[in-house]
Amino acid sequence: METTGRLGERGVAAAAQGLPADARRSVDGYLMAGFPWYGLDEAFTGPRWLMQVGAAADGIVEYGSTGHGEEPSLRVETDMDQQRFTVVVTVASRPGRDSADGTGKLEATSVSSAAWLAGSGLLSCTWPTRMERALRQDWLDQQTAIAWELADDLEGESWSQLSLPVDGVPTDFHYRESEYGWVLAGTAGEDVHIGAYGRGMSAYGLGFAVVKDITRYDS
């Protein structure tokens, strides 16, 4: 019997197929979640926008992202250094369970799940400007594998500790920086894990809070 790992390379791809594309990219998918969404707290006054949710094969929403600042662009002429955004990833805290189609097992979600989604998210909006378009997929595959390994080793030397407020309570996060931006991951209470990534906006001084009205975010 095949075992499907936690929301990783195969799990994320499979989860994203659980809802129609229009629901995944609109507020409807977010409203179907049985857990609270997180975003930057009220200290952030800039633009807020929806990204996408991922759901299991049975339609249960497992994770999703909210954007803050300027929406990143992959246009070659766009200078990455001028992009300013923070994306907050919310991952439902799930125990180990059978897959919806009964063919395998899904491992429990964890902080590593949030770290993986954040790391892969940062890569998805990154374009190495000195690289030919034809080579980008090879680069992306390589960097994705590295992001997966890093997410699986949160106690390793690649990560440092950063304390940030979650609903006003100081919370410890695993944090790392790269030439493409930063990534962090931690846990918010018993219901969800939080991941985040960004570029042009410092992670230091950010705060996270439950989104009281997800419809405030423009899709």
Side-chain angles (χ1 to χ4, degrees), residues 154 156-164 172-178 181-185 196 201-204:
L154 293 177
E157 61 182 15
S158 297
W159 298 88
S160 60
Q161 295 294 312
L162 178 62
S163 180
L164 297 172
D172 290 332
F173 287 88
H174 299 275
Y175 174 79
R176 68 179 177 87
E177 295 180 357
S178 74
W182 53 263
V183 173
L184 60 77
M201 294 173 60
S202 174
Y204 294 88

Side-chain angles (χ1 to χ4, degrees), residues 96-171:
R97 66 248 190 238
D98 293 330
S99 61
D101 58 9
T103 61
K105 297 284 187 180
L106 295 174
E107 294 181 16
T109 57
S110 66
V111 178
S112 289
S113 307
W116 155 247
L117 286 166
S120 59
L122 179 62
L123 291 173
S124 71
C125 60
T126 298
W127 185 282
T129 56
R130 295 182 296 277
M131 183 177 295
E132 294 181 10
R133 183 182 297 270
L135 296 177
R136 184 175 187 267
Q137 188 58 52
D138 290 339
W139 173 87
L140 188 59
D141 290 343
Q142 179 188 55
Q143 294 299 314
T144 296
I146 293 173
W148 173 249
E149 293 174 0
L150 288 171
D152 217 24
D153 185 25
L154 293 177
E155 301 303 324
E157 61 182 15
S158 297
W159 298 88
S160 60
Q161 295 294 312
L162 178 62
S163 180
L164 297 172
V166 176
D167 293 322
V169 179
T171 303

